[in-house]
Amino acid sequence: MLNALVAYAAEEGAPEHNPLIPAWYDIIWSLVCFVIILFLFWRVALPRMKKLLDERSAAIEGNIAKADEAQRRAEAALEEYTAQLAEARKEAGEIRDAAREDGRKIIAEAKETASAEAARLTASAHAQIEAERQAALVSLRSDVGSLALDLAGGVIGETLSDDAKAKAVVDRFLSELEASEAAAQGQRA
C-alpha cells in the first residue's frame, strides 16, 4: 500500500518530496527533544535507578551475609550441642560404671562383713559349746564319780571316803572310756 501511495503521488505531479522522509525542521526539533529527554534520563532517572539497584544489591548481599552468619552460628551451636551430648553420654557412662563398681564394693564388703560375723558367731558358738561340754564333763565326772564310788562301796561293802583316791579312780575310768570312744570313731572314719 505504501508503494501505491508513492506511485500515486508521483503521477500527480507533486513535488519531489518523499512523504516518508520528514522535513528538516521536524528532524531538528525531534533531535532537540531527544537530547533533552536523554539528558534528563541520564542525569535524573538513571542515577535514581542505579541507586535503587545498588540499595537492593546491598540489601540482598547483606541478607546473604546474615544468612551465612546464621548458618555458621547454627552449625557451631549444633557442634557444641553434639559435643555436650557426647560429653554427657561419656559422663553418664562413667557414673554408671562408678555406680556398678561401688555396688560391687558394697556387695563385697557386705559379704566380708557377713563372713566375719558368721565366723565370729561360729567361734562364739564353738566356745559356748566347748564351755558347756566342759561344764557337762565336770558335772558328769562328779556325778559318775560319786555314783561309781557308791556302787563300788556297795560291792566292796565299805565306804570309800578318801576323796583324792576316789577322784583318781574316777578320772582313770573316764580317760579309758574317752580313749575307747576315740578309737571307735577312728575306725568309723
Side-chain angles (χ1 to χ4, degrees), residues 5 17 38 57 64 116 132 139 161 167:
L5 265 173
H17 184 305
L38 182 64
S57 176
I64 289 172
E132 287 178 6
S139 173
S161 59
K167 188 174 181 185

Side-chain angles (χ1 to χ4, degrees), residues 1-164:
M1 178 164 223
L2 187 60
N3 285 337
L5 265 173
V6 172
Y8 176 70
E11 289 175 8
E12 296 236 347
E16 296 250 347
H17 184 305
N18 190 352
L20 295 177
I21 299 177
W24 63 271
Y25 58 86
D26 285 335
I27 292 176
I28 290 177
W29 284 111
S30 297
L31 186 61
V32 169
C33 289
F34 179 73
V35 168
I36 291 172
I37 290 172
L38 182 64
F39 179 75
L40 288 175
F41 180 76
W42 192 267
R43 287 303 230 168
V44 177
L46 194 60
R48 286 185 183 173
M49 287 179 65
K50 185 174 182 185
K51 182 181 175 186
L52 180 66
L53 289 175
D54 288 344
E55 287 174 358
R56 283 191 176 183
S57 176
I60 289 171
E61 288 175 3
N63 287 340
I64 289 172
K66 287 178 186 176
D68 288 342
E69 180 63 28
Q71 174 113 17
R72 282 192 294 274
R73 283 192 306 242
E75 288 173 356
L78 179 63
E79 288 175 9
E80 183 180 342
Y81 170 74
T82 305
Q84 288 176 350
L85 185 61
E87 182 67 28
R89 285 183 178 159
K90 179 182 175 188
E91 191 174 316
E94 289 172 357
I95 290 171
R96 187 174 45 250
D97 292 342
R100 285 182 184 149
E101 186 62 32
D102 288 345
R104 286 186 195 118
K105 286 179 183 177
I106 289 170
I107 289 172
E109 287 175 4
K111 285 181 179 179
E112 186 177 312
T113 303
S115 294
E117 185 65 22
R120 186 188 64 78
L121 287 175
T122 304
S124 173
H126 283 304
Q128 186 177 1
I129 290 171
E130 186 60 31
E132 287 178 6
R133 182 178 167 272
Q134 290 298 327
L137 190 60
V138 168
S139 173
L140 183 64
R141 281 183 188 231
S142 67
D143 289 345
V144 167
S146 63
L147 184 62
L149 288 176
D150 288 343
L151 288 175
V155 169
I156 298 175
E158 289 183 20
T159 317
L160 298 171
S161 59
D162 186 11
D163 285 338

